[in-house]
Amino acid sequence: MNEAMERQAYMQSLTKRLVIFTMATLFFLGVTLYFFIDTAVKQDKSFLVIMVFMCGLLGGFVSIQQRLPKITLDEMKVLSSSWVSITLIPINGGIFALILMLMFVGQIVQGDMFPHYPDPPVADAPGFMNWIQHSYPSSGREIAKLLFWSFVSGFSERFVPQIIRRTVDQAEQGDKPATAAAPSDDSQTPPPAAKPAANPALMASGAGKAADNKGDSSGASPVTQ
């Protein structure tokens, strides 16, 4: 068997495993939603978090499917030897989608492109439970934004880590104590202009662009990520 035929065989095996895992997970989550949908309507609860995870899982599935033709034969052999290796990327996509949802809820990432969550008061344990059960975007359009960015967080797996790193960097810079400037003899010298505040929306979109450029141009391997 030549290398091209061997690559094709491994690619078919990997695709089959991905489809089986993704369909089984979606079926389980779909059944969960189906059995709890009546309870959700009667008790006015939201199970949107399950849909967020599903969109992130689908994003990771599409991402690895697009990268399979670019990886080497040896990497295909490693991926095909373990279910964990091939399913880790879709699972990470679902986890990143949940983390991104928390950023939206906490207004760490905000802007016109991102979903807006209301901020109900939480003063006691019943208030906390009310927030857990009824926390969802303010309109149908905002829910659509949430599901879209959930898919993106799984599809571009560097998107959420880039936002986290930039947020941590901004927090560390904000915690640094301000140092007084040395006195100057030239009283006519104007003080330096203040830098404009960072726009969270631009920060997030810049992280997404950087993630796509790194992920697509470098041909990163799913084995090493």
Side-chain angles (χ1 to χ4, degrees):
M1 181 182 295
N2 57 33
E3 182 175 348
M5 295 180 62
E6 193 174 2
R7 280 181 58 87
Q8 186 65 25
Y10 276 111
M11 189 176 301
Q12 290 178 354
S13 174
L14 291 174
T15 301
K16 182 179 179 180
R17 289 193 175 194
L18 277 172
V19 170
I20 292 175
F21 169 78
T22 304
M23 292 298 103
T25 305
L26 291 178
F27 176 78
F28 172 77
L29 295 177
V31 170
T32 302
L33 282 176
Y34 177 80
F35 281 105
F36 282 99
I37 193 69
D38 186 59
T39 303
V41 172
K42 290 181 179 178
Q43 300 184 7
D44 193 25
K45 295 181 180 179
S46 171
F47 290 91
L48 188 61
V49 63
I50 299 180
M51 299 178 65
V52 168
F53 184 85
M54 291 170 65
C55 288
L57 186 78
L58 286 174
F61 169 77
V62 174
S63 174
I64 193 172
Q65 274 295 109
Q66 290 191 342
R67 282 183 290 167
L68 279 180
K70 303 177 183 178
I71 66 178
T72 65
L73 179 59
D74 291 336
E75 291 168 341
M76 284 188 178
K77 292 179 180 179
V78 173
L79 287 174
S80 62
S81 64
S82 172
W83 277 90
V84 176
S85 299
I86 196 63
T87 58
L88 188 60
I89 292 178
I91 292 176
N92 284 341
I95 295 174
F96 287 152
L98 296 177
I99 295 174
L100 186 62
M101 185 186 71
L102 290 178
M103 293 181 177
F104 292 147
V105 175
Q107 297 184 358
I108 298 173
V109 176
Q110 52 185 319
D112 293 337
M113 294 190 304
F114 306 112
H116 174 264
Y117 275 79
D119 188 19
V122 180
D124 49 21
F128 176 75
M129 290 302 300
N130 181 72
W131 175 80
I132 289 292
Q133 296 173 356
H134 302 89
S135 182
Y136 42 82
S138 55
S139 68
R141 179 183 299 178
E142 303 302 310
I143 293 177
K145 292 178 182 178
L146 172 64
L147 297 180
F148 168 75
W149 286 112
S150 299
F151 179 88
V152 171
S153 64
F155 180 79
S156 179
E157 63 186 44
R158 289 190 178 95
F159 177 68
V160 173
Q162 285 282 354
I163 297 178
I164 294 175
R165 292 189 190 98
R166 294 194 179 203
T167 303
V168 171
D169 290 342
Q170 286 189 351
E172 290 177 347
Q173 291 175 2
D175 291 340
K176 290 181 179 179
T179 55
S184 174
D185 294 336
D186 187 3
S187 60
Q188 302 299 323
T189 303
K195 295 183 179 180
N199 188 330
L202 293 179
M203 178 192 73
S205 61
K209 291 179 181 179
D212 291 338
N213 291 337
K214 290 181 179 179
D216 296 337
S217 62
S218 61
S221 167
V223 179
T224 59
Q225 294 176 354

